[in-house]
Amino acid sequence: MTAVVQPQQQRNGGPVLVHVEFEVFGGVQGVHFAKYCKEMCDRFDLKGWTKPSAYGTIQGVIQGEKAMVDEMAMWLQHQGAPGSRIDHCDLRNWQIVDRCDYRRFNVRY
């Protein structure tokens, strides 16, 4: 009989918390992308921020439970705001963290 090893879903008795930075490229400004991003992060109980950049992308930081950050990463890469066109999304600096640095998710300008 072969044992199945499950990935560690909890750390120190709690869920695994992660941090990731993102930048979304494409037709993502002028369609309220940051507002919809905040709504999704609030739904997933994620922390961090997002903002439109000076050169037409949406940037930000997401922190929270790994499973929820993974769901948000999929939204950023494939769905986005209504009316947006996502060419690609860079997700970088993935880290496991002990706690979130932010109290909520905010839109910055």
Side-chain angles (χ1 to χ4, degrees):
M1 176 182 250
T2 305
V4 176
V5 178
Q6 297 294 324
Q8 183 181 4
Q9 293 298 314
Q10 296 194 354
R11 183 177 180 192
N12 299 329
V16 174
L17 300 176
V18 296
H19 163 105
V20 66
E21 299 167 10
F22 68 89
E23 187 166 12
V24 185
F25 297 81
V28 293
Q29 289 194 2
V31 293
H32 305 286
F33 198 100
K35 174 187 141 242
Y36 283 99
C37 183
K38 178 185 177 2
E39 288 177 5
M40 292 301 294
C41 285
D42 288 347
R43 183 178 302 166
F44 292 136
D45 193 30
L46 299 172
K47 317 300 185 221
W49 58 268
T50 189
K51 71 175 184 176
S53 74
Y55 51 96
T57 65
I58 298 292
Q59 301 173 323
V61 170
I62 301 171
Q63 296 179 336
E65 292 185 25
K66 184 181 181 318
M68 298 296 99
V69 172
D70 288 345
E71 288 289 325
M72 189 62 198
M74 293 297 290
W75 185 87
L76 289 168
Q77 292 173 302
H78 302 291
Q79 183 175 345
S84 66
R85 184 192 80 253
I86 299 170
D87 292 340
H88 71 279
C89 176
D90 288 342
L91 299 164
R92 57 187 171 271
N93 297 327
W94 283 87
Q95 303 170 26
I96 294 176
V97 296
D98 292 326
R99 61 178 174 75
C100 293
D101 297 323
Y102 305 95
R103 294 180 57 184
R104 62 186 61 89
F105 195 88
N106 293 305
V107 176
R108 297 179 178 177
Y109 295 97

